[in-house]
Amino acid sequence: MTATLSRPTDLGPGRVTQVGVLRSEWIKLRSLRSTWFSLLAAFVIIDGLGTLFSALRAHDINQHGGAGFDFDATEVSLRGVFLAQLAIGVLGVLVISGEYSTGMIRSSLAAVPRRTPVLVAKAAVFAGVVLGFSLVASFGAFMIGQQVQASTHLQASLSTPGAWRAIVGAALYLTLIGLMAVGLGFLIRVTAGAIAALFGIVLVAPILAEALPAPYGTDVDKYLPLTAGMRVVATVNPDSNTLGPWAGIGVTALYAAVALAAGLVALRRRDG
């Protein structure tokens, strides 16, 4: 009597789903040491600098009197976001360029035949992590900063007009800068080049815009991601020459969308 080995018919080929790709990207992101180091650095910057600036402004006000009609206690406590975007931007680039430098990207693309789900999953997981982290850090910076400024009797509170918008907007701004970095990572693939491009757009472009003669400098500057996006944290004496808070976030979102679209085109053409 011989045994007959039959091939199982109930085990079909593995099907790649967007949920599965998202789960894979989440595992990779949380497994990277650079993720935790960058987020820790950003947290220290947001809350540490926010506390420092709040303390310095409170000391100055207490020593020299009134702060003036343009004093924005909310914006002062969130000043650390200006520098924290560097840490978030670097992380966004490393999430992509790191895979290219180690060759791991070949495994990712081999597992997912279509290219769009890879970019969507990486961007979605990264955005979710950064947004959640940034909300906690921004809220903490605001609360600590206002406590430090309490001696001036000019501090803000969560009921102050624009306070919640500034906290949430700061988190959205950092997330969008990170997504721009992800798109540039796919587009350029080299860490140094992508970081240089990101910092050129975000930090250097406003300086170059100042060199333009009036009114062109102002007209260009207000549509740059730093100037437009950071308007969302200002709650006092809005500048009529700049965009509104949510319009500015919209412009920053457009930069992120263009970077991601360019990254997707590059991914399909070079790694298709």
Side-chain angles (χ1 to χ4, degrees):
M1 181 177 179
T2 59
T4 303
L5 299 178
S6 60
R7 184 179 180 179
T9 57
D10 57 334
L11 298 178
R15 186 168 63 91
V16 177
T17 65
Q18 187 67 66
V19 174
V21 181
L22 285 168
R23 186 180 299 112
S24 174
E25 293 303 329
W26 161 241
I27 293 173
K28 285 193 286 186
L29 182 63
R30 65 183 173 87
S31 300
L32 293 173
R33 285 182 295 178
S34 58
T35 299
W36 303 108
F37 288 149
S38 297
L39 292 179
L40 177 61
F43 186 88
V44 171
I45 291 170
I46 294 172
D47 286 50
L49 287 184
T51 302
L52 176 62
F53 291 146
S54 295
L56 291 175
R57 288 302 297 271
H59 175 75
D60 182 67
I61 293 171
N62 290 330
Q63 289 293 317
H64 302 100
F69 73 96
D70 60 343
F71 176 68
D72 193 337
T74 298
E75 184 178 20
V76 170
S77 66
L78 295 174
R79 280 284 181 175
V81 173
F82 281 93
L83 186 58
Q85 66 184 322
L86 303 185
I88 298 299
V90 168
L91 177 60
V93 169
L94 288 176
V95 166
I96 309 304
S97 64
E99 287 203 33
Y100 278 102
S101 64
T102 61
M104 187 181 294
I105 191 68
R106 289 192 292 270
S107 299
S108 299
L109 297 179
V112 185
R114 296 170 57 206
R115 300 308 180 230
T116 302
V118 175
L119 184 143
V120 170
K122 286 184 179 294
V125 170
F126 180 82
V129 170
V130 172
L131 181 60
F133 155 81
S134 299
L135 282 171
V136 173
S138 298
F139 182 81
F142 175 83
M143 297 303 293
I144 297 172
Q146 304 317 309
Q147 185 64 34
V148 171
Q149 296 179 62
S151 61
T152 67
H153 304 292
L154 298 173
Q155 76 275 14
S157 68
L158 292 175
S159 61
T160 298
W164 274 110
R165 181 251 293 163
I167 294 171
V168 175
L172 287 174
Y173 174 77
L174 288 175
T175 303
L176 292 172
I177 292 298
L179 286 175
M180 192 190 311
V182 169
L184 292 174
F186 274 113
L187 179 63
I188 300 175
R189 298 194 294 183
V190 178
T191 301
I195 290 176
L198 176 68
F199 290 173
I201 295 170
V202 176
L203 301 179
V204 178
I207 298 175
L208 297 179
E210 292 180 0
L212 296 174
Y216 305 111
T218 302
D219 291 340
V220 171
D221 182 61
K222 70 181 181 180
Y223 290 107
L224 296 177
L226 178 63
T227 306
M230 286 304 295
R231 287 302 304 159
V232 77
V233 303
T235 63
V236 174
N237 192 29
D239 188 349
S240 59
N241 293 321
T242 59
L243 299 174
W246 294 120
I249 285 292
V251 168
T252 308
L254 182 60
Y255 277 90
V258 170
L260 289 171
L264 179 59
V265 171
L267 180 64
R268 285 177 169 175
R269 288 184 176 180
R270 291 187 303 217
D271 302 301

